[in-house]
Amino acid sequence: MRKKKDLPLVILKSLEPFVNLRGDKFEVIEPKQNLLHVIDKEIDSSFHFIIEKYQKQGNGNFQFLMKRSPKSHNENGEYQTWVEIAHLSKQFESWIKLLDEYDTVNSFFDDPIIKSFEEEFFAEFELIEDEADIYPLNTNQILMLDSHLENIENKLSDFTTPKNASNIEDIKSEITELRENLTTKSKKWVVKKLTTVWAKIAKQGTKFIKSFLAESNKQIIVQGVKGLIEFVKENGTDLIN
């Protein structure tokens, strides 16, 4: 694994503003073999902003090899180029602006029903703490949520029909991805993903809402994620044992 003392101080200082950077549209993740790796927070998006390496020019200045997607308004594919260190922030701001415009543009590919349910469910969590964008759930919360998701996954097969089979598989796929990332993603990412699962379940009909999203059961999860473990112990011990 790369260590910070493997890099020149000028490189570390130029990347320092990104260390604790957070936003509604993006997430800074572990760079691994890269110097910087930022991804679009939308679950199924492949958009990214990556700094792969640096080089020193003959004049003593440094450059970064940047790779980003989308490239521009006209091209949504990947774009790679060398950029001066001084221009890094400008390149990143341009990328964020593209994400903002994708988020606000109306299209036939959006599902207003699922979006409405997502907003309703997400509002119940009231994630006002600053660290929700950075830190994960604690272990009790992770185990509680994993049990909740496992219960849903096991019961979904009983509600599968030829008509809704593809939708049920899509929900199961969302659950699998969420369970696999409970320990590696931020609290806010987990909650957003959970509300997407709930929203897709709600769209299947009132029978699904009654069976999977009864208010009492839903509140156990909401209060547990918000840290009110005593509420969970009193109202839903089966979810955390």
Side-chain angles (χ1 to χ4, degrees):
M1 175 182 270
R2 177 179 278 165
K3 300 175 183 178
K4 68 179 182 180
K5 290 188 177 179
D6 294 333
L7 303 172
L9 196 55
V10 64
I11 299 299
L12 293 172
K13 285 186 173 293
S14 64
L15 296 173
E16 189 175 18
F18 295 89
V19 173
N20 293 314
L21 190 64
R22 345 183 251 284
D24 291 334
K25 304 292 189 304
F26 64 88
E27 179 181 4
V28 182
I29 65 173
E30 183 183 350
K32 296 183 179 178
Q33 74 274 17
N34 299 303
L35 296 173
L36 175 68
H37 194 163
V38 188
I39 59 173
D40 180 4
K41 271 190 177 179
E42 186 171 315
I43 304 299
D44 298 320
S45 172
S46 62
F47 290 165
H48 56 266
F49 184 96
I50 297 172
I51 298 300
E52 292 189 325
K53 57 185 178 180
Y54 69 90
Q55 69 177 9
K56 189 174 184 180
Q57 299 174 280
N59 60 6
N61 293 330
F62 286 87
Q63 289 182 318
F64 283 131
L65 181 59
M66 178 198 72
K67 183 167 65 176
R68 81 180 199 194
S69 171
K71 176 182 178 180
S72 65
H73 287 83
N74 298 325
E75 297 182 45
N76 68 337
E78 191 170 73
Y79 169 62
Q80 186 178 57
T81 188
W82 287 97
V83 298
E84 299 291 331
I85 282 184
H87 299 159
L88 176 61
S89 294
K90 184 178 179 180
Q91 288 287 342
F92 185 73
E93 289 168 7
S94 297
W95 181 73
I96 292 297
K97 185 178 179 181
L98 289 171
L99 294 191
D100 287 337
E101 293 189 47
Y102 265 102
D103 191 52
T104 55
V105 68
N106 292 317
S107 78
F108 294 108
F109 305 102
D110 300 320
D111 189 327
I113 295 175
I114 289 179
K115 184 176 181 181
S116 178
F117 282 131
E118 285 175 335
E119 291 174 351
E120 174 192 344
F121 296 142
F122 187 78
E124 296 187 45
F125 286 92
E126 300 178 86
L127 295 178
I128 58 176
E129 64 267 36
D130 292 338
E131 65 268 20
D133 275 319
I134 302 174
Y135 298 116
L137 298 168
N138 63 43
T139 52
N140 281 334
Q141 293 168 327
I142 289 169
L143 294 174
M144 174 200 65
L145 190 50
D146 186 66
S147 293
H148 170 68
L149 294 168
E150 185 177 26
N151 290 337
I152 291 177
E153 196 168 15
N154 290 338
K155 287 176 62 179
L156 277 172
S157 298
D158 297 334
F159 291 78
T160 304
T161 67
K163 186 177 180 180
N164 69 16
S166 62
N167 291 329
I168 297 299
E169 286 304 309
D170 177 52
I171 294 170
K172 286 183 176 181
S173 177
E174 296 274 11
I175 290 173
T176 297
E177 183 179 5
L178 177 50
R179 293 182 71 187
E180 289 176 349
N181 286 280
L182 286 175
T183 61
T184 59
K185 295 291 188 178
S186 70
K187 179 185 289 189
K188 191 169 185 179
W189 185 95
V190 168
V191 169
K192 277 187 166 293
K193 186 70 171 179
L194 175 62
T195 55
T196 296
V197 170
W198 283 358
K200 290 186 175 184
I201 289 173
K203 188 181 177 182
Q204 298 309 304
T206 55
K207 181 173 70 172
F208 283 79
I209 294 175
K210 291 177 180 178
S211 298
F212 296 96
L213 303 175
E215 189 60 25
S216 58
N217 292 336
K218 185 155 60 67
Q219 280 305 310
I220 291 170
I221 301 303
V222 171
Q223 300 304 326
V225 169
K226 289 166 70 172
L228 302 178
I229 297 300
E230 290 305 315
F231 177 94
V232 179
K233 287 181 179 179
E234 293 173 7
N235 296 276
T237 53
D238 57 314
L239 288 175
I240 59 174
N241 290 337

